[in-house]
């Protein structure tokens, strides 16, 4: 797929668009905004900044963050199924756990819903690092495969009010991903090999889901 960007947009413009997804009607269902895109596109950075920007506009506690990376299979499970060398591939996530958690986030508005995260120091998922509180009205979730047309992923997709595709050029993503692997303890050669053998193939799969997204975004910052 050609490496084509969407419109260059500011955080302010994206936050304003996200706020418009929140229903005005009191007692209306909670909404979920998804951010899809290939590895290294900047999804997690955008998600955390969007949450803060939305709260600045609407009020504290109105937005929450749910990362797909918290649903990575553990290293023990990846070793069991022989997929540790492809960690981050689409079949190395608990997609049904993710979809079920999103369903809880949408439906269980009167109690805390705890959600996991991924720890890049431990290289493992960590339970209950994030929480969606009863007063939350919009949840920003992000991950590579949110727009994928495949079992489990379509269940999650159907729970989202909109999914935006976060774009960055292949060159920029490769640079970011190599730095990420170096911070994780890999040598320069190991980092480049991982990006070439894992992150790039994953990114090509994600690019094919771009057409299912409501908005294609290249963030200006």
């Amino acid at each position: 797929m050609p490496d084509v960007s969407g419109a260059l947009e500011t955080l302010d413009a994206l936050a304003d668009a996200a706020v418009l997804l929140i229903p005005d009607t009191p007692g209306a269902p909670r909404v979920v905004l998804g951010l899809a895109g290939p590895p290294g596109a900047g999804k997690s950075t955008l998600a955390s900044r969007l949450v803060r920007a939305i709260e600045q506009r609407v009020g504290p506690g109105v937005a929450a963050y749910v990362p797909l990376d918290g649903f990575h299979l553990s290293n023990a499970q990846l070793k069991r199924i022989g997929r540790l060398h492809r960690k981050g591939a689409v079949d190395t996530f608990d997609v049904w756990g993710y979809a079920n958690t999103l369903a809880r986030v949408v439906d269980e508005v009167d109690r805390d819903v705890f959600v996991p995260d991924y720890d890049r120091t431990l290289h493992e998922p960590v339970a209950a690092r994030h929480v969606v509180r009863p007063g939350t009205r919009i949840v920003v979730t992000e991950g590579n495969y949110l727009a994928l047309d495949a079992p489990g992923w379509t269940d999650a997709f159907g729970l989202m009010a909109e999914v935006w595709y976060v774009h960055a050029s292949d060159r920029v993503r490769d640079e970011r991903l190599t730095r990420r692997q170096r911070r994780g303890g890999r040598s320069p050669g190991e980092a480049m090999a991982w990006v070439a053998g894992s992150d790039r193939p994953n990114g090509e799969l994600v690019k094919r889901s771009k057409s299912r997204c409501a908005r294609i975004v290249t963030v200006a910052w």
Side-chain angles (χ1 to χ4, degrees):
M1 174 176 289
D3 191 26
V4 178
S5 69
L8 191 66
E9 302 200 57
T10 64
L11 177 63
D12 283 340
L14 294 173
D16 290 342
V19 168
L20 291 176
L21 297 175
I22 303 173
D24 292 330
T25 308
R30 182 179 285 150
V31 296
V32 179
L33 168 62
L35 303 178
K43 300 180 298 297
S44 59
T45 299
L46 176 57
S48 61
R49 294 185 183 184
L50 264 180
V51 167
R52 291 194 296 270
I54 292 167
E55 291 188 329
Q56 289 170 356
R57 286 159 171 74
V58 183
V62 76
Y65 173 49
V66 175
L68 171 64
D69 276 359
F71 296 86
H72 267 287
L73 298 182
S74 69
N75 290 334
Q77 294 302 323
L78 292 174
K79 289 176 183 176
R80 181 183 64 83
I81 64 175
R83 293 293 281 165
L84 186 60
H85 67 295
R86 286 289 281 114
K87 188 174 187 176
V90 66
D91 62 340
T92 65
F93 288 86
D94 176 17
V95 61
W96 298 109
Y98 175 65
N100 288 338
T101 298
L102 284 189
R104 289 189 61 209
V105 163
V106 170
D107 294 335
E108 298 180 18
V109 297
D110 57 349
R111 62 171 67 90
D112 289 347
V113 179
F114 296 96
V115 296
D117 198 1
Y118 186 79
D119 191 300
R120 295 192 181 278
T121 300
L122 298 174
H123 304 292
E124 291 276 15
V126 176
R129 181 171 283 177
H130 300 285
V131 61
V132 181
R133 303 298 309 275
T136 299
R137 298 176 62 198
I138 183 169
V139 170
V140 181
T141 184
E142 55 83 18
N144 295 343
Y145 306 110
L146 269 54
L148 208 65
D149 187 7
W153 301 105
T154 54
D155 295 71
F157 184 88
L159 294 166
M160 301 178 205
E162 285 191 1
V163 179
W164 300 350
Y165 184 94
V166 183
H167 171 87
S169 71
D170 291 343
R171 178 187 58 80
V172 167
R173 291 193 302 104
D174 278 2
E175 291 172 355
R176 291 173 178 170
L177 292 165
T178 301
R179 288 197 299 269
R180 179 186 297 175
Q181 293 302 318
R182 294 283 287 120
R183 288 194 300 268
R186 298 183 190 272
S187 70
E190 290 170 337
M192 289 187 290
W194 181 269
V195 170
S198 184
D199 288 325
R200 284 181 194 159
N202 296 343
E204 291 306 308
L205 173 62
V206 173
K207 288 178 184 179
R208 295 202 290 270
S209 68
K210 183 186 293 189
S211 62
R212 287 167 53 82
C213 297
R215 189 178 190 131
I216 300 173
V217 174
T218 302
V219 184
W221 51 40

